[in-house]
Amino acid sequence: MKTIQLFLLICILVSCKKENIYYYTNNKEIKDSTVIRFVDTELKKLDVDPKKGNLKIYTTLDSVSYKTNLDTIRTKVFELASKDHSIPKNRPLFDDWIKEKIIVVDNKTAKVVKFYSTFKNVKLDRDEINMIGMKKLIKLGSILNTNSEAEIPEDYLNTYASAVVPSDSSKIKENAVDFLSKFKIDHPDRKHYNLNFLSFQDAIKIFQTYNRNGVYKEPFSIKSVSENDKPLYTHKKDSINILSPISTHTIQDRLDYYKDHHYRISESQIKAIQNLYSIGGPTFHAILVNDGKYTYFIYVTSIVITDHDKKQSKMIPAGLMKKIGIHYYNAIRK
């Protein structure tokens, strides 16, 4: 009898627990599993457990998501890339090879307005980059944060940053540790930049601060959360002035030089931008683009698994990945 009662009690409890409901900014319900996975990750950062159930999550995301226009966007990128011979003219091969994740953040409010991902497999999903790819930007900010009138070579961002060879320049110095802490990036392994990782949002907020006159705002995608229709979380506006106008002016000049002289970017047909920064890695390529109103973070894999059982893969050339990233920006620009 007690066993039956316990079973009935468990059934009641389970039936009372409802699934979470996720909403776009216009209160349209989110159904895309990749978007829900992204929002769940953001919930955990707010110390809200998405597994609790009975939650209603209201986001800043546009309901006209890239997912809705998946075929149109990928067709456009495929056509653009095919014209300059960036990829083989084989659409099924393109769809199988190229996996991307795109985050678009409003420069003024720091709202994440767009999220799009073709990483359907959770195990293959990516949400961070090696810090070595942001080394130059971080060092530039940390130097100017210490001394706003420091002399920085015009081509500082264009010189090569080694990801492999150990050297004192690859160690994270105290001023960089202090600078990163202002962005809530704490306790890095100081032995080498490539021993650390940044979330996509970490990369975005550093880049946006440079383009927001030194004012830091945390990118956010969750406006509010309720549990059983009772308020649980509401986003609060917050901003911190990190860099001086003199420092940000210097950074803007260096980003301008980088845009005009960086390999393949200066020769590309990227449209309507103020500045950008390219981040490369062994298995990916990412690009940060500021068009004045929005910051676009575009991440594209550069490794193709050709045989899961035999653990065989194929690398896509870095130059090709840079071009594809630019094609994505041109195709999705708001």
Side-chain angles (χ1 to χ4, degrees):
M1 186 68 180
K2 289 183 178 180
T3 304
I4 295 174
Q5 288 177 333
L6 180 60
F7 176 76
L8 291 173
L9 179 60
I10 292 173
C11 288
I12 291 171
L13 291 173
V14 171
S15 64
C16 288
K17 183 180 178 180
K18 298 179 180 178
E19 295 293 325
N20 297 332
I21 305 176
Y22 302 77
Y23 296 100
Y24 288 108
T25 190
N26 64 353
N27 291 330
K28 180 180 178 181
E29 188 174 345
I30 300 173
K31 298 292 187 179
D32 186 339
S33 62
T34 62
V35 179
I36 290 174
R37 191 190 312 154
F38 169 71
V39 176
D40 280 349
T41 301
E42 297 303 294
L43 284 172
K44 292 174 185 176
K45 294 179 183 178
L46 303 173
D47 294 324
V48 177
D49 185 1
K51 294 181 180 179
K52 291 176 70 174
N54 300 314
L55 299 178
K56 289 183 179 179
I57 303 101
Y58 298 87
T59 76
T60 60
L61 302 173
D62 190 334
S63 64
V64 185
S65 67
Y66 295 137
K67 185 71 174 178
T68 306
N69 302 311
L70 173 60
D71 289 337
T72 302
I73 290 170
R74 288 181 72 85
T75 296
K76 188 172 182 179
V77 171
F78 176 75
E79 289 173 353
L80 289 169
S82 296
K83 285 179 181 178
D84 67 8
H85 307 290
S86 295
I87 60 173
K89 295 184 177 182
N90 184 318
R91 178 58 190 269
L93 190 63
F94 171 79
D95 288 335
D96 185 52
W97 278 17
I98 308 301
K99 301 295 180 186
E100 65 286 310
K101 183 174 284 188
I102 300 166
I103 302 173
V104 184
V105 185
D106 187 291
N107 286 342
K108 185 177 180 180
T109 64
K111 290 180 181 179
V112 179
V113 295
K114 290 281 190 181
F115 174 83
Y116 164 64
S117 172
T118 53
F119 288 93
K120 295 183 179 180
N121 188 322
V122 178
K123 293 182 180 180
L124 299 178
D125 199 1
R126 297 291 181 270
D127 58 10
E128 61 183 14
I129 57 171
N130 194 294
M131 191 183 284
I132 194 71
M134 292 284 287
K135 173 186 170 183
K136 283 288 185 176
L137 278 184
I138 292 169
K139 290 184 71 173
L140 178 59
S142 62
I143 291 168
L144 293 169
N145 181 54
T146 304
N147 178 11
S148 62
E149 297 184 354
E151 293 187 11
I152 308 293
E154 190 177 35
D155 64 348
Y156 180 79
L157 292 175
N158 297 67
T159 55
Y160 177 68
S162 174
V164 180
V165 181
S167 67
D168 288 340
S169 66
S170 295
K171 293 179 180 178
I172 303 180
K173 296 182 179 179
E174 188 63 39
N175 65 337
V177 173
D178 178 64
F179 182 66
L180 287 169
S181 69
K182 295 177 185 294
F183 294 93
K184 302 177 184 178
I185 303 169
D186 299 312
H187 312 298
D189 189 327
R190 296 182 59 181
K191 292 192 290 292
H192 201 294
Y193 273 87
N194 72 358
L195 297 176
N196 301 276
F197 293 86
L198 295 172
S199 71
F200 293 168
Q201 286 91 324
D202 285 339
I204 292 168
K205 65 190 180 186
I206 292 172
F207 186 67
Q208 277 197 320
T209 298
Y210 293 170
N211 286 307
R212 201 188 286 119
N213 296 317
V215 177
Y216 157 66
K217 294 182 180 181
E218 186 76 21
F220 71 99
S221 57
I222 298 174
K223 291 189 293 186
S224 64
V225 182
S226 64
E227 182 179 9
N228 294 318
D229 294 325
K230 294 181 180 179
L232 184 64
Y233 167 83
T234 302
H235 175 76
K236 294 181 181 179
K237 294 180 181 180
D238 189 22
S239 63
I240 303 171
N241 200 325
I242 291 180
L243 292 164
S244 70
I246 296 174
S247 297
T248 53
H249 179 73
T250 299
I251 293 173
Q252 291 291 317
D253 283 348
R254 301 306 173 270
L255 284 170
D256 285 344
Y257 185 92
Y258 177 87
K259 178 187 67 176
D260 294 336
H261 295 84
H262 187 60
Y263 173 64
R264 290 192 182 275
I265 286 181
S266 60
E267 300 173 0
S268 71
Q269 297 180 354
I270 192 163
K271 303 171 183 176
I273 69 164
Q274 290 193 1
N275 50 48
L276 77 169
Y277 193 75
S278 176
I279 306 166
T283 61
F284 75 92
H285 180 265
I287 186 170
L288 282 158
V289 184
N290 167 38
D291 72 354
K293 188 175 182 180
Y294 299 100
T295 292
Y296 300 75
F297 181 89
I298 302 169
Y299 175 98
V300 188
T301 54
S302 59
I303 185 168
V304 181
I305 307 298
T306 55
D307 192 316
H308 286 277
D309 295 331
K310 296 181 180 180
K311 297 182 179 180
Q312 293 178 346
S313 61
K314 179 178 180 179
M315 294 297 297
I316 302 175
L320 168 57
M321 299 313 298
K322 287 182 180 181
K323 283 191 173 185
I324 291 175
I326 291 170
H327 286 316
Y328 261 103
Y329 168 74
N330 288 338
I332 67 175
R333 183 172 179 268
K334 289 175 66 69

